């Protein structure tokens, strides 16, 4: 929220004789917080993308709010901001209120942020998003607080550094194991193995014990994608979006070793399964439990009907989210204090899959 907008709104709201003040104070995009309702918070309405409501656009236009998108193609973000009256500026411009970027900012850029500017990344957030850094952070928390308190990962090894330890564990339990690149996404480079000889050691990878007896729906493996927003690391403030997605594999699950290379059976990533000839999409937004993507609500209703304790399930999921973020909290909070001049300049949206 720009400082200028906050001042303008405060001055506007202080005059009871100004009819425009009333209209701005009661605007659906503004929520007042803080003592004596002095702090305006801008609320985005997703439906504005479709309705193109001029009443929604007036806030961004009146206060000359602007944004820039750097090194990413976020069409939905651009549509929502435009629908709320934000003006897009050139990626090299320094005159903006919001920077939405697909990569992390260098420290010298973070130091230049004014109080009226926000960016969608915290410094060193790779401590959370890179698999190798997250693994090391969780191991550190296990040493500090006890293994049981932070037993939120299957047994994992970072290769090639921990190759000998992995082979020792493999000799006691032959797997299967799942291999993942440390800095990739969307299922790229992920595969299953049942012998260390099947692993390529040309780059850093994580090898984890594969969960061989997953919870299934109609014999298909699935995961849940949740959306988490962190607005501050000091103090730590975490929001969990109330809805999410259940993403299904496209081939029925079978524990047999002969299927170990079948990504459509073992991986639930949309980027992988959309390439399958068995992928089923649903084009009706009113239908939540059809095809290879369900709403999380539909998934929970199904599990509850099957006698599962979904309340306890979600409590465990929330505990997992909190402990995951806490594991990286110290490094990110320290970087914020070092590089970010204003506490409210950064926010971070992460997806977590359970």
């Amino acid at each position: 929220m720009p400082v200028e907008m906050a001042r303008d709104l405060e001055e506007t709201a202080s005059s009871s004789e100004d009819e425009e003040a009333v209209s701005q104070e009661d605007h659906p995009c503004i929520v007042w917080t803080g003592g004596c309702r002095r702090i305006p918070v801008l609320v985005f309405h997703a439906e504005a993308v479709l309705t193109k409501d001029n009443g929604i656009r007036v806030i961004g236009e009146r206060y000359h709010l602007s944004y820039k998108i750097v090194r990413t193609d976020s069409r939905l973000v651009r549509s929502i901001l435009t629908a709320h009256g934000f003006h897009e500026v050139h990626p090299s411009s320094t005159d903006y209120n919001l920077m939405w970027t697909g990569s992390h900012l260098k420290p010298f850029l973070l130091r230049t942020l004014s109080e009226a500017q926000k960016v969608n990344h915290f410094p060193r957030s790779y401590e959370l998003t890179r698999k190798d850094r997250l693994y090391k952070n969780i191991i550190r928390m296990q040493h500090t607080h006890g293994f049981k308190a932070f037993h939120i990962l299957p047994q994992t090894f970072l290769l090639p550094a921990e190759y000998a330890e992995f082979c020792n564990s493999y000799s006691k339990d032959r797997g299967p194991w799942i291999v993942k690149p440390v800095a990739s996404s969307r299922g790229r480079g992920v595969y299953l193995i049942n012998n260390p000889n099947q692993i390529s050691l040309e780059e850093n990878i994580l090898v984890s014990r594969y969960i061989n007896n997953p919870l299934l729906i109609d014999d298909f493996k699935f995961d849940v994608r949740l959306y988490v927003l962190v607005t501050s690391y000091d103090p730590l403030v975490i929001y969990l979006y109330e809805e999410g997605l259940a993403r299904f594999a496209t081939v029925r699950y079978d524990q047999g070793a002969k299927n170990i290379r079948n990504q459509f059976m073992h991986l639930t990533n949309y980027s992988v399964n959309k390439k399958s000839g068995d992928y089923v999409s649903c084009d009706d937004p009113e239908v939540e439990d059809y095809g290879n993507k369900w709403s999380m609500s539909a998934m929970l209703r199904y599990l509850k009907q099957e006698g599962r304790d979904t309340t306890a399930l979600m409590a465990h999921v929330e505990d997992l989210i909190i402990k995951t973020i806490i594991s990286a909290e110290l490094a990110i909070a320290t970087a914020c204090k070092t590089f970010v001049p204003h506490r409210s300049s950064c926010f971070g949206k992460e997806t977590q899959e359970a």
Side-chain angles (χ1 to χ4, degrees), residues 171-216:
S171 67
K172 300 173 183 177
D173 184 351
R174 293 180 175 270
W177 298 75
I178 187 166
V179 179
K180 298 182 179 182
V182 298
S184 188
S185 61
R186 302 197 294 274
R188 292 174 295 185
V190 179
Y191 58 96
L192 272 65
I193 59 103
N194 51 22
N195 190 308
N197 296 331
Q198 298 168 334
I199 298 177
S200 171
L201 298 177
E202 295 179 357
E203 58 181 356
N204 288 338
I205 55 173
L206 283 185
V207 179
S208 300
R209 190 180 299 278
Y210 186 62
I211 299 174
N212 207 24
N213 59 336
L215 177 64
L216 304 176

Side-chain angles (χ1 to χ4, degrees), residues 305-322:
Q305 291 171 0
E306 294 294 310
R308 303 282 180 171
D309 187 347
T310 55
T311 301
L313 172 64
M314 290 309 299
H316 286 307
V317 170
E318 291 177 10
D319 182 69
L320 171 66
I321 291 170
I322 293 168

Side-chain angles (χ1 to χ4, degrees), residues 7-66:
R7 290 173 181 160
D8 287 349
L9 286 171
E10 288 170 20
E11 293 171 359
T12 302
S14 65
S15 175
S16 59
E17 296 180 358
D18 191 340
E19 292 182 359
E20 188 177 12
V22 177
S23 64
Q24 293 299 337
E25 184 173 355
D26 294 338
H27 195 280
C29 286
I30 298 176
V31 176
W32 295 83
T33 64
C36 302
R37 289 162 48 89
R38 295 185 58 217
I39 304 173
V41 175
L42 183 59
V43 178
F44 292 94
H45 296 263
E47 63 271 17
V49 175
L50 299 176
T51 63
K52 304 186 185 303
D53 187 343
N54 288 331
I56 297 292
R57 293 179 60 90
V58 70
I59 291 297
E61 293 174 347
R62 172 172 178 176
Y63 297 103
H64 308 292
L65 302 180
S66 59

Side-chain angles (χ1 to χ4, degrees), residues 31 38 89 116 188 193 223 231 242 255 259 269 296 315 320:
V31 176
R38 295 185 58 217
V89 299
R188 292 174 295 185
I193 59 103
D223 72 7
T231 56
E242 62 185 8
Q255 291 183 336
N259 298 307
N269 307 75
M296 185 179 69
L320 171 66

Side-chain angles (χ1 to χ4, degrees), residues 65-129:
L65 302 180
S66 59
Y67 71 95
K68 67 178 184 177
I69 295 181
V70 182
R71 292 187 290 276
T72 186
D73 181 24
S74 299
R75 288 174 291 176
L76 181 58
V77 172
R78 178 179 281 109
S79 296
I80 288 177
L81 292 172
T82 301
H84 288 76
F86 279 64
H87 170 67
E88 184 171 7
V89 299
H90 191 273
S92 63
S93 173
T94 59
D95 184 16
Y96 62 89
N97 300 104
L98 171 65
M99 180 196 307
W100 191 276
T101 175
S103 60
H104 300 281
L105 294 187
K106 301 294 184 182
F108 76 91
L109 289 174
L110 288 167
R111 289 191 175 103
T112 65
L113 292 174
S114 71
E115 192 174 1
Q117 293 177 316
K118 296 185 183 296
V119 63
N120 66 322
H121 284 291
F122 286 96
R124 291 194 68 175
S125 59
Y126 56 80
E127 297 283 350
L128 188 63
T129 58

Side-chain angles (χ1 to χ4, degrees), residues 111 122 136 158 262 352:
R111 289 191 175 103
F122 286 96
K136 290 187 175 182
L158 180 60
N262 191 333
Q352 181 146 352

